[in-house]
Amino acid sequence: MSNSLKVIRIEAYGEWNSYFNKCGGKSLPQAWEYGSAKKEAEGWLPQRYIVRNENNTTIAIFQVLVKKIPFLGGVARINKGPLMIDDDLSRNNYELSICSIKAITYKLKKEKIWLLQLAPFLPPNNYIDNSLKKIGFNKRPNPPADSALVSLSGSDDDLMMRFNSKWRNLLRKGLKLGVNVKFDSQDSQFFDLLVKHYERQQKEKGFKGTSNEMLYALKSNQSEHFKFNLLVAFASDKKDAESVLGVLVVIQCHDFSEYLIGITTEKGRKMQANSVLLWNALLEVKKNGALWFDVGGLNETTPKGIATFKKGMNPKFYALTGEWRKWFLRLR
């Protein structure tokens, strides 16, 4: 089947978004603005492709991030792709996804890519793993980016009642204690607070996380379809660094949203600022048309406290096959 597929490069923002919006399952790394942010912050060149079948029907889209190396070609990354048109993770349309991966692999080889790192938007099963091995991919030991989805359908009351009782009680406690949530305005008045508290958390907990450059690039690449929702919780009406209880970033892309960063101070944890922040973020993206919220990672490496917090929203879990690597030639 892959021999009959056509891979076509897309250069226009509007055309890409028209296909992206038709995909049943969406992922943040496949958004146009995310690719533009990676270029701005880290030097990756985004290349966007659609895959068409023998009937000239578009079946899949890929955003590929490429870095060129003089005289050698380039390395490429595909994260949480392909996205399938009119499909989602529950429909088991794996054969088309594998054929699309094979087609894009052949395309990238012709463009002198010598290494492809792939994290498919596909679940773990024998058919997928064996198929990727037949194409020439080797599985990496990195933990897969498993996560979970919260449906934002129905009324706000419906949404709250789908959370477990403990989560709801903690949220009500935070609201009663007067946690004051403010949204970032267009003048980015809270961005410096985000960076300050995020750097402190990175130092205290010893992780790298998202770079400041990438955070700024995500914010600067906002569009009609891509929103960088920055929320800050304060202990009072004051809006200074000393009054901060927590900071939250949620990205919305079309009808899909995803948790990116959450930080809570010691006082904020006691006042349940994390619950109040997330609840306000969910209401905001829901109001702006989001149908789904991705909790932003939920696997064996997720710290126990964070995992418990995310599971309290009773999300629908999904597992991914993990990272794979294919060499097109070996350097000497």
Side-chain angles (χ1 to χ4, degrees):
M1 184 184 297
S2 59
N3 293 331
S4 64
L5 298 181
K6 294 180 290 185
V7 179
I8 303 168
R9 183 114 173 228
I10 298 296
E11 302 285 358
Y13 173 78
E15 186 178 6
W16 176 262
N17 273 294
S18 69
Y19 291 119
F20 186 94
N21 207 31
K22 294 177 183 176
C23 297
K26 297 181 176 68
S27 67
L28 178 60
Q30 291 296 302
W32 177 287
E33 293 86 351
Y34 185 90
S36 298
K38 293 291 281 188
K39 178 182 179 181
E40 183 178 315
E42 301 173 10
W44 289 95
L45 177 65
Q47 297 179 183
R48 291 106 179 177
Y49 300 91
I50 59 171
V51 180
R52 286 181 174 161
N53 63 17
E54 64 278 7
N55 299 320
N56 211 34
T57 300
T58 302
I59 61 171
I61 68 173
F62 286 91
Q63 178 162 252
V64 185
L65 300 179
V66 175
K67 275 192 178 178
K68 299 289 186 179
I69 299 176
F71 309 111
L72 293 177
V75 296
R77 295 171 57 187
I78 300 173
N79 192 6
K80 284 193 173 182
L83 301 186
M84 307 303 292
I85 302 293
D86 297 326
D87 192 35
D88 59 44
L89 288 174
S90 66
R91 297 188 188 176
N92 302 326
N93 195 6
Y94 305 144
E95 184 179 2
L96 277 178
S97 295
I98 292 296
C99 290
S100 298
I101 290 172
K102 187 174 181 180
I104 194 70
T105 299
Y106 180 71
K107 177 74 170 179
L108 293 174
K109 181 180 180 181
K110 289 175 64 177
E111 296 189 2
K112 297 183 180 180
I113 296 297
W114 53 269
L115 173 64
L116 173 57
Q117 191 92 357
L118 172 70
F121 203 34
L122 290 169
N125 66 40
N126 289 334
Y127 170 76
I128 290 170
D129 286 6
N130 291 334
S131 297
L132 289 172
K133 289 174 183 177
K134 287 180 182 178
I135 301 173
F137 285 93
N138 294 304
K139 197 164 190 176
R140 305 292 296 157
N142 315 48
D146 301 343
S147 192
L149 295 171
V150 175
S151 171
L152 303 179
S153 62
S155 68
D156 295 350
D157 288 340
D158 292 335
L159 175 59
M160 183 178 286
M161 290 310 297
R162 287 198 290 269
F163 302 153
N164 68 33
S165 58
K166 182 177 180 181
W167 208 101
R168 293 197 303 270
N169 290 336
L170 293 176
L171 170 60
R172 290 178 180 128
K173 178 182 177 181
L175 294 171
K176 187 178 293 187
L177 289 172
V179 175
N180 187 12
V181 173
K182 299 291 184 181
F183 282 83
D184 189 42
S185 62
Q186 292 300 315
D187 60 2
S188 303
Q189 61 175 322
F190 297 141
F191 191 80
D192 288 344
L193 289 177
L194 165 66
V195 170
K196 176 182 178 180
H197 285 273
Y198 192 47
E199 287 180 342
R200 180 184 299 170
Q201 185 184 62
Q202 288 171 314
K203 184 176 181 180
E204 291 175 352
K205 298 188 176 181
F207 70 96
K208 187 175 181 181
T210 306
S211 68
N212 292 343
E213 292 79 10
M214 186 61 182
L215 288 175
Y216 183 80
L218 286 169
K219 184 167 181 60
S220 66
N221 276 279
Q222 290 187 89
S223 69
E224 176 186 357
H225 304 294
F226 189 89
K227 301 298 181 184
F228 184 94
N229 295 291
L230 171 56
L231 300 85
V232 183
F234 296 96
S236 66
D237 290 333
K238 294 181 180 179
K239 293 186 291 186
D240 53 42
E242 290 70 29
S243 301
V244 172
L245 299 174
V247 185
L248 178 69
V249 176
V250 170
I251 303 290
Q252 179 174 356
C253 185
H254 293 263
D255 61 359
F256 169 82
S257 57
E258 182 169 330
Y259 178 105
L260 186 66
I261 292 174
I263 309 159
T264 312
T265 66
E266 183 176 352
K267 182 177 180 180
R269 285 189 288 273
K270 293 177 181 178
M271 294 182 67
Q272 306 307 321
N274 51 353
S275 299
V276 180
L277 278 166
L278 188 52
W279 175 245
N280 276 269
L282 292 179
L283 294 182
E284 178 69 10
V285 297
K286 181 175 181 290
K287 180 183 70 177
N288 291 325
L291 301 177
W292 295 95
F293 173 74
D294 193 306
V295 301
L298 188 56
N299 60 22
E300 61 187 33
T301 67
T302 305
K304 184 177 179 181
I306 296 174
T308 300
F309 177 70
K310 293 180 177 181
K311 289 177 181 178
M313 293 184 285
N314 290 325
K316 179 182 179 182
F317 295 93
Y318 67 84
L320 297 175
T321 182
E323 292 187 4
W324 296 75
R325 178 178 288 176
K326 178 179 173 65
W327 295 89
F328 295 98
L329 60 87
R330 294 195 178 275
L331 301 178
R332 295 181 180 275

